[in-house]
Protein backbone atom coordinates (compact mmCIF):
# COMPACT_ATOMS: atom_id res chain seq x y z
CA UNK A 1 0.00 0.00 0.00
CA UNK A 2 1.22 3.49 -0.72
CA UNK A 3 1.67 5.74 2.32
CA UNK A 4 -1.19 8.20 2.94
CA UNK A 5 -0.69 11.95 2.62
CA UNK A 6 0.66 13.21 5.95
CA UNK A 7 -1.23 15.79 7.93
CA UNK A 8 -4.62 14.13 8.12
CA UNK A 9 -6.94 14.96 11.02
CA UNK A 10 -7.86 11.85 12.97
CA UNK A 11 -10.14 11.22 15.96
CA UNK A 12 -9.27 8.15 18.03
CA UNK A 13 -12.04 7.20 20.46
CA UNK A 14 -10.68 5.15 23.35
CA UNK A 15 -7.33 6.73 22.51
CA UNK A 16 -6.03 6.50 26.08
CA UNK A 17 -6.46 2.73 26.17
CA UNK A 18 -3.96 0.03 25.26
CA UNK A 19 -4.56 -0.16 21.49
CA UNK A 20 -5.79 3.42 21.16
CA UNK A 21 -2.62 4.86 22.67
CA UNK A 22 -0.41 2.92 20.25
CA UNK A 23 -2.58 4.17 17.38
CA UNK A 24 -2.32 7.79 18.59
CA UNK A 25 1.47 7.43 18.85
CA UNK A 26 1.83 5.97 15.34
CA UNK A 27 -0.44 8.65 13.83
CA UNK A 28 1.43 11.50 15.54
CA UNK A 29 4.76 10.01 14.39
CA UNK A 30 3.62 10.05 10.78
CA UNK A 31 2.46 13.66 10.96
CA UNK A 32 -1.30 13.41 11.48
CA UNK A 33 -3.21 15.71 13.83
CA UNK A 34 -4.87 13.53 16.48
CA UNK A 35 -7.78 14.14 18.83
CA UNK A 36 -7.82 11.43 21.51
CA UNK A 37 -11.33 11.08 23.00
CA UNK A 38 -11.65 9.06 26.18
CA UNK A 39 -13.48 8.95 29.49
CA UNK A 40 -10.62 6.94 31.12
CA UNK A 41 -12.99 4.19 32.22
CA UNK A 42 -10.45 1.45 31.48
CA UNK A 43 -7.74 3.65 29.95
CA UNK A 44 -5.27 6.06 31.46
CA UNK A 45 -4.20 9.56 30.33
CA UNK A 46 -0.67 8.45 31.28
CA UNK A 47 -0.71 6.20 28.20
CA UNK A 48 -0.61 9.27 25.94
CA UNK A 49 1.08 11.75 28.29
CA UNK A 50 4.26 11.56 26.19
CA UNK A 51 2.29 12.87 23.17
CA UNK A 52 1.08 16.05 24.87
CA UNK A 53 2.88 18.97 23.29
CA UNK A 54 3.49 17.14 20.03
CA UNK A 55 2.09 19.17 17.08
CA UNK A 56 -1.59 18.53 16.48
CA UNK A 57 -2.18 16.20 19.43
CA UNK A 58 -4.83 16.84 22.02
CA UNK A 59 -6.94 14.89 24.52
CA UNK A 60 -10.65 15.49 24.97
CA UNK A 61 -12.11 13.90 28.07
CA UNK A 62 -15.61 12.80 27.14
CA UNK A 63 -18.01 9.92 27.41
CA UNK A 64 -18.92 8.68 23.94
CA UNK A 65 -22.37 7.72 25.18
CA UNK A 66 -23.07 11.42 25.84
CA UNK A 67 -23.23 14.21 23.24
CA UNK A 68 -19.99 14.33 21.24
CA UNK A 69 -18.72 17.33 19.32
CA UNK A 70 -15.42 18.89 18.31
CA UNK A 71 -15.14 22.09 16.27
CA UNK A 72 -12.34 21.19 13.86
CA UNK A 73 -12.55 19.29 10.56
CA UNK A 74 -11.91 15.54 10.70
CA UNK A 75 -10.82 13.14 7.94
CA UNK A 76 -10.92 9.85 9.84
CA UNK A 77 -12.65 8.51 12.96
CA UNK A 78 -11.12 5.40 14.52
CA UNK A 79 -13.72 4.10 16.97
CA UNK A 80 -11.86 2.11 19.64
CA UNK A 81 -13.73 3.12 22.80
CA UNK A 82 -14.95 0.04 24.67
CA UNK A 83 -13.89 -2.04 27.62
CA UNK A 84 -12.15 -5.03 26.05
CA UNK A 85 -10.84 -7.37 28.72
CA UNK A 86 -13.35 -9.91 30.08
CA UNK A 87 -12.62 -8.76 33.64
CA UNK A 88 -13.52 -5.17 32.67
CA UNK A 89 -16.63 -5.86 30.64
CA UNK A 90 -18.03 -8.33 33.16
CA UNK A 91 -17.68 -5.57 35.79
CA UNK A 92 -19.10 -2.96 33.39
CA UNK A 93 -21.85 -4.80 31.49
CA UNK A 94 -24.20 -1.88 30.83
CA UNK A 95 -21.38 0.58 30.09
CA UNK A 96 -19.98 -1.91 27.55
CA UNK A 97 -23.32 -2.35 25.81
CA UNK A 98 -23.89 1.42 25.86
CA UNK A 99 -20.54 2.33 24.32
CA UNK A 100 -20.97 -0.39 21.67
CA UNK A 101 -24.49 0.85 20.88
CA UNK A 102 -25.02 4.53 21.74
CA UNK A 103 -21.28 5.30 21.65
CA UNK A 104 -20.96 3.79 18.18
CA UNK A 105 -24.00 5.80 17.01
CA UNK A 106 -22.37 9.00 18.28
CA UNK A 107 -19.03 8.16 16.67
CA UNK A 108 -20.81 7.42 13.38
CA UNK A 109 -22.71 10.72 13.74
CA UNK A 110 -19.43 12.58 14.24
CA UNK A 111 -17.95 10.96 11.10
CA UNK A 112 -21.08 11.82 9.13
CA UNK A 113 -21.11 15.45 10.31
CA UNK A 114 -17.43 15.79 9.30
CA UNK A 115 -17.72 13.72 6.10
CA UNK A 116 -14.91 11.54 7.46
CA UNK A 117 -14.07 7.86 6.99
CA UNK A 118 -15.21 5.78 9.96
CA UNK A 119 -13.40 2.64 11.14
CA UNK A 120 -14.92 0.34 13.75
CA UNK A 121 -12.66 -1.71 16.02
CA UNK A 122 -14.59 -4.95 16.03
CA UNK A 123 -13.31 -8.19 17.47
CA UNK A 124 -12.81 -11.89 16.91
CA UNK A 125 -15.35 -12.25 19.73
CA UNK A 126 -18.11 -11.73 17.13
CA UNK A 127 -17.29 -15.35 16.17
CA UNK A 128 -18.14 -16.44 19.74
CA UNK A 129 -17.20 -20.05 20.47
CA UNK A 130 -16.58 -20.84 16.80
CA UNK A 131 -17.79 -23.96 15.05
CA UNK A 132 -15.47 -23.25 12.09
CA UNK A 133 -11.72 -23.11 12.30
CA UNK A 134 -9.82 -20.98 11.40
CA UNK A 135 -12.31 -18.10 11.37
CA UNK A 136 -12.99 -16.43 8.03
CA UNK A 137 -14.89 -13.18 7.68
CA UNK A 138 -17.89 -14.91 6.08
CA UNK A 139 -18.47 -17.06 9.20
CA UNK A 140 -21.42 -15.68 11.20
CA UNK A 141 -20.28 -16.96 14.56
CA UNK A 142 -21.68 -18.85 17.52
CA UNK A 143 -22.58 -16.39 20.29
CA UNK A 144 -24.79 -16.99 23.33
CA UNK A 145 -26.94 -13.81 23.46
CA UNK A 146 -27.71 -14.23 27.16
CA UNK A 147 -24.34 -15.57 28.33
CA UNK A 148 -22.04 -13.39 30.46
CA UNK A 149 -19.79 -12.48 27.51
CA UNK A 150 -22.74 -11.30 25.41
CA UNK A 151 -22.38 -7.76 26.79
CA UNK A 152 -19.20 -7.45 24.73
CA UNK A 153 -19.83 -9.88 21.85
CA UNK A 154 -23.33 -8.65 21.08
CA UNK A 155 -22.35 -4.99 21.52
CA UNK A 156 -19.70 -5.47 18.83
CA UNK A 157 -22.08 -7.42 16.58
CA UNK A 158 -24.61 -4.59 16.93
CA UNK A 159 -21.84 -2.02 16.26
CA UNK A 160 -20.98 -3.90 13.05
CA UNK A 161 -24.68 -3.81 12.05
CA UNK A 162 -24.88 -0.06 12.80
CA UNK A 163 -21.73 0.62 10.78
CA UNK A 164 -23.08 -1.39 7.86
CA UNK A 165 -26.43 0.46 8.01
CA UNK A 166 -24.69 3.86 7.95
CA UNK A 167 -22.68 2.72 4.94
CA UNK A 168 -25.67 1.35 3.02
CA UNK A 169 -28.38 3.84 3.90
CA UNK A 170 -26.43 7.03 4.72
CA UNK A 171 -23.55 6.67 2.25
CA UNK A 172 -20.87 6.94 4.95
CA UNK A 173 -17.36 5.71 4.06
CA UNK A 174 -16.85 2.94 6.62
CA UNK A 175 -14.49 0.08 7.43
CA UNK A 176 -14.76 -2.75 9.94
CA UNK A 177 -11.67 -4.43 11.35
CA UNK A 178 -12.06 -7.64 13.38
CA UNK A 179 -9.11 -7.62 15.73
CA UNK A 180 -7.85 -10.88 17.27
CA UNK A 181 -6.03 -11.08 20.63
CA UNK A 182 -3.39 -8.38 20.69
CA UNK A 183 -0.69 -7.90 23.34
CA UNK A 184 2.19 -5.59 24.12
CA UNK A 185 3.37 -2.75 26.36
CA UNK A 186 0.70 -0.67 28.17
CA UNK A 187 -1.61 -3.57 28.92
CA UNK A 188 -2.57 -3.37 32.58
CA UNK A 189 -0.98 -6.04 34.80
CA UNK A 190 -4.33 -6.76 36.46
CA UNK A 191 -6.63 -6.49 33.43
CA UNK A 192 -7.30 -10.23 33.64
CA UNK A 193 -6.14 -11.08 30.11
CA UNK A 194 -3.91 -14.14 29.88
CA UNK A 195 -0.63 -12.54 28.77
CA UNK A 196 -0.37 -9.79 31.43
CA UNK A 197 -1.59 -12.26 34.05
CA UNK A 198 1.02 -14.92 33.20
CA UNK A 199 3.82 -12.34 32.91
CA UNK A 200 2.93 -10.71 36.24
CA UNK A 201 2.70 -14.08 37.98
CA UNK A 202 5.95 -15.37 36.45
CA UNK A 203 7.87 -12.20 37.38
CA UNK A 204 6.56 -12.39 40.95
CA UNK A 205 7.42 -16.10 41.25
CA UNK A 206 3.73 -16.89 41.80
CA UNK A 207 1.90 -19.86 40.24
CA UNK A 208 0.68 -19.29 36.68
CA UNK A 209 -3.10 -19.79 36.65
CA UNK A 210 -4.19 -21.59 33.49
CA UNK A 211 -7.96 -21.95 33.02
CA UNK A 212 -9.50 -25.37 32.30
CA UNK A 213 -6.95 -27.94 31.14
CA UNK A 214 -5.17 -25.29 29.05
CA UNK A 215 -5.92 -27.02 25.74
CA UNK A 216 -8.03 -24.09 24.46
CA UNK A 217 -6.18 -22.07 21.83
CA UNK A 218 -5.57 -18.42 21.04
CA UNK A 219 -3.62 -16.67 18.29
CA UNK A 220 -1.73 -13.70 19.61
CA UNK A 221 -0.65 -10.64 17.64
CA UNK A 222 1.95 -8.10 18.73
CA UNK A 223 0.52 -4.58 19.00
CA UNK A 224 2.76 -3.04 16.31
CA UNK A 225 1.40 -5.54 13.78
CA UNK A 226 -2.21 -4.87 14.80
CA UNK A 227 -1.70 -1.10 14.51
CA UNK A 228 -0.18 -1.54 11.04
CA UNK A 229 -3.18 -3.66 10.00
CA UNK A 230 -5.72 -1.18 11.36
CA UNK A 231 -4.02 1.72 9.58
CA UNK A 232 -3.77 -0.25 6.32
CA UNK A 233 -7.55 -0.60 6.44
CA UNK A 234 -8.13 2.97 7.63
CA UNK A 235 -5.94 4.49 4.90
CA UNK A 236 -7.77 2.76 2.05
CA UNK A 237 -11.42 2.36 1.12
CA UNK A 238 -11.89 -1.29 2.09
CA UNK A 239 -15.24 -1.75 3.90
CA UNK A 240 -14.38 -5.08 5.51
CA UNK A 241 -14.96 -6.77 7.77
CA UNK A 242 -11.30 -7.80 7.62
CA UNK A 243 -9.58 -10.00 10.20
CA UNK A 244 -6.39 -8.60 11.69
CA UNK A 245 -4.50 -11.08 13.83
CA UNK A 246 -1.53 -13.40 13.84
CA UNK A 247 -2.45 -16.94 12.73
CA UNK A 248 0.30 -18.36 14.99
CA UNK A 249 -1.99 -20.47 17.22
CA UNK A 250 -1.03 -21.86 20.61
CA UNK A 251 -2.71 -23.55 23.54
CA UNK A 252 -3.08 -21.56 26.74
CA UNK A 253 -0.90 -24.10 28.53
CA UNK A 254 1.75 -23.68 25.81
CA UNK A 255 1.54 -19.90 26.21
CA UNK A 256 2.01 -20.17 29.99
CA UNK A 257 5.01 -22.46 29.50
CA UNK A 258 6.55 -20.10 26.93
CA UNK A 259 6.18 -17.10 29.26
CA UNK A 260 7.64 -19.09 32.13
CA UNK A 261 10.66 -19.98 29.98
CA UNK A 262 11.14 -16.44 28.62
CA UNK A 263 11.01 -14.89 32.09
CA UNK A 264 13.42 -17.51 33.45
CA UNK A 265 10.84 -18.18 36.18
CA UNK A 266 10.44 -21.44 38.09
CA UNK A 267 6.78 -20.74 38.97
CA UNK A 268 4.53 -23.78 38.94
CA UNK A 269 1.51 -23.94 36.63
CA UNK A 270 -1.86 -24.50 38.31
CA UNK A 271 -5.27 -25.06 36.75
CA UNK A 272 -8.35 -23.04 37.70
CA UNK A 273 -11.97 -23.02 36.49
CA UNK A 274 -12.60 -21.98 32.94
CA UNK A 275 -15.00 -19.02 32.52
CA UNK A 276 -18.47 -19.63 31.04
CA UNK A 277 -18.64 -19.60 27.23
CA UNK A 278 -14.86 -19.28 26.92
CA UNK A 279 -14.04 -20.00 23.24
CA UNK A 280 -12.36 -23.36 22.62
CA UNK A 281 -10.32 -22.23 19.64
CA UNK A 282 -9.33 -18.96 17.99
CA UNK A 283 -7.29 -18.43 14.82
CA UNK A 284 -7.80 -15.82 12.11
CA UNK A 285 -7.85 -16.62 8.44
CA UNK A 286 -5.89 -13.59 7.20
CA UNK A 287 -6.19 -14.24 3.45
CA UNK A 288 -8.40 -11.18 3.00
CA UNK A 289 -6.02 -8.87 4.90
CA UNK A 290 -3.15 -10.10 2.73
CA UNK A 291 -5.09 -9.73 -0.54
CA UNK A 292 -6.92 -6.46 0.10
CA UNK A 293 -4.50 -4.65 2.40
CA UNK A 294 -1.17 -6.29 1.61
CA UNK A 295 -0.88 -6.84 5.37
CA UNK A 296 1.00 -9.64 7.11
CA UNK A 297 2.00 -9.87 10.77
CA UNK A 298 5.77 -9.56 11.10
CA UNK A 299 6.63 -9.96 14.78
CA UNK A 300 7.08 -13.59 15.89
CA UNK A 301 5.49 -14.33 19.27
CA UNK A 302 8.81 -14.95 21.01
CA UNK A 303 10.12 -11.51 20.05
CA UNK A 304 6.84 -9.77 20.94
CA UNK A 305 6.61 -11.57 24.26
CA UNK A 306 10.21 -10.64 25.16
CA UNK A 307 9.47 -6.95 24.51
CA UNK A 308 6.29 -7.19 26.57
CA UNK A 309 8.01 -9.01 29.44
CA UNK A 310 10.78 -6.39 29.57
CA UNK A 311 8.19 -3.61 29.65
CA UNK A 312 6.19 -5.26 32.44
CA UNK A 313 9.33 -5.91 34.45
CA UNK A 314 10.20 -2.21 34.33
CA UNK A 315 6.63 -1.23 35.21
CA UNK A 316 6.31 -3.61 38.13
CA UNK A 317 9.75 -2.81 39.44
CA UNK A 318 9.44 0.92 39.93
CA UNK A 319 7.74 4.21 39.08
CA UNK A 320 5.94 4.86 35.84
CA UNK A 321 7.68 3.81 32.65
CA UNK A 322 8.22 6.74 30.30
CA UNK A 323 6.55 6.48 26.89
CA UNK A 324 6.17 2.72 26.97
CA UNK A 325 9.88 2.00 26.82
CA UNK A 326 11.47 -0.73 28.97
CA UNK A 327 14.38 0.32 31.18
CA UNK A 328 16.14 -3.00 31.29
CA UNK A 329 16.05 -6.40 29.72
CA UNK A 330 14.85 -9.23 31.94
CA UNK A 331 13.66 -11.84 29.48
CA UNK A 332 15.88 -14.93 29.39
CA UNK A 333 18.31 -14.99 26.45
CA UNK A 334 17.17 -16.75 23.28
CA UNK A 335 18.11 -20.42 23.10
CA UNK A 336 20.77 -21.49 20.56
N1 LIG B 1 -6.75 -5.67 22.78
C1 LIG B 1 -7.28 -6.62 22.03
O1 LIG B 1 -6.76 -7.73 21.97
C2 LIG B 1 -8.53 -6.33 21.21
C3 LIG B 1 -9.03 -7.37 20.41
C4 LIG B 1 -10.18 -7.12 19.68
C5 LIG B 1 -10.77 -5.89 19.68
N2 LIG B 1 -10.26 -4.89 20.45
C6 LIG B 1 -10.97 -3.61 20.46
O2 LIG B 1 -10.06 -2.53 20.48
C7 LIG B 1 -10.57 -1.48 21.30
C8 LIG B 1 -9.54 -1.12 22.36
O3 LIG B 1 -9.23 -2.25 23.16
P1 LIG B 1 -8.08 -2.19 24.27
O4 LIG B 1 -7.57 -3.55 24.45
O5 LIG B 1 -7.16 -1.09 23.94
O6 LIG B 1 -8.96 -1.82 25.56
P2 LIG B 1 -8.75 -0.67 26.66
O7 LIG B 1 -9.73 -0.96 27.75
O8 LIG B 1 -7.31 -0.55 27.01
O9 LIG B 1 -9.15 0.66 25.87
C9 LIG B 1 -10.49 1.06 25.71
C10 LIG B 1 -10.55 2.56 25.90
O10 LIG B 1 -11.90 3.01 25.68
C11 LIG B 1 -12.21 3.97 26.69
N3 LIG B 1 -13.68 4.02 26.85
C12 LIG B 1 -14.50 3.03 27.28
N4 LIG B 1 -15.76 3.47 27.30
C13 LIG B 1 -15.74 4.77 26.88
C14 LIG B 1 -16.75 5.76 26.70
N5 LIG B 1 -18.03 5.52 26.96
N6 LIG B 1 -16.38 7.00 26.25
C15 LIG B 1 -15.06 7.27 25.98
N7 LIG B 1 -14.07 6.35 26.14
C16 LIG B 1 -14.40 5.12 26.58
C17 LIG B 1 -11.49 3.46 27.92
O11 LIG B 1 -11.32 4.42 28.94
C18 LIG B 1 -10.17 3.00 27.33
O12 LIG B 1 -9.22 4.03 27.28
C19 LIG B 1 -11.89 -1.96 21.88
O13 LIG B 1 -12.94 -1.46 21.10
C20 LIG B 1 -11.80 -3.46 21.72
O14 LIG B 1 -13.08 -4.04 21.57
C21 LIG B 1 -9.15 -5.10 21.24
Amino acid sequence: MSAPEPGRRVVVTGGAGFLGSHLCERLVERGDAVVCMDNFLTGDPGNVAHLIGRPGFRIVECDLTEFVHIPEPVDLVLHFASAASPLDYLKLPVETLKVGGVGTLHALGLAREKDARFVLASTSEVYGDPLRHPQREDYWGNVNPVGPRSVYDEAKRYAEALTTAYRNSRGLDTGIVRIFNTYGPRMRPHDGRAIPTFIRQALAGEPLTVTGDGSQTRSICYVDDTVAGVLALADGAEPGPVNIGNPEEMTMLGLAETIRTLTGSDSEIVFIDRPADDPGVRRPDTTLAAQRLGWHPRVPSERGLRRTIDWFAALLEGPAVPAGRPRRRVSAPAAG
Side-chain angles (χ1 to χ4, degrees), residues 13-21 37-44 47 62-65 79-85 88 95 98-99 103 121-125 152 156 177-183 186-188 191 193:
T13 77
F18 161 55
L19 275 181
S21 66
M37 284 188 169
D38 207 297
N39 65 350
F40 312 128
L41 188 63
T42 58
D44 185 340
N47 283 336
C62 71
D63 184 336
L64 258 282
T65 66
H79 180 42
F80 276 66
S82 169
S85 95
D88 287 335
E95 290 82 351
K98 272 180 81 177
V99 75
S122 187
T123 168
S124 57
E125 300 300 321
Y152 182 65
K156 289 290 180 179
V177 54
R178 289 189 183 147
I179 301 168
F180 282 64
N181 293 84
T182 297
Y183 69 99
R186 299 199 202 117
M187 295 185 91
R188 286 172 291 133
D191 83 356
R193 294 188 256 202

Side-chain angles (χ1 to χ4, degrees), residues 12 15 20-21 24-25 28 32-36 45 47-60:
V12 182
S21 66
C24 288
E25 188 174 272
V28 167
D32 289 344
V34 176
V35 177
C36 163
N47 283 336
V48 285
H50 61 294
L51 300 177
I52 292 169
R54 296 281 296 268
F57 180 79
R58 72 184 181 101
I59 306 186
V60 173

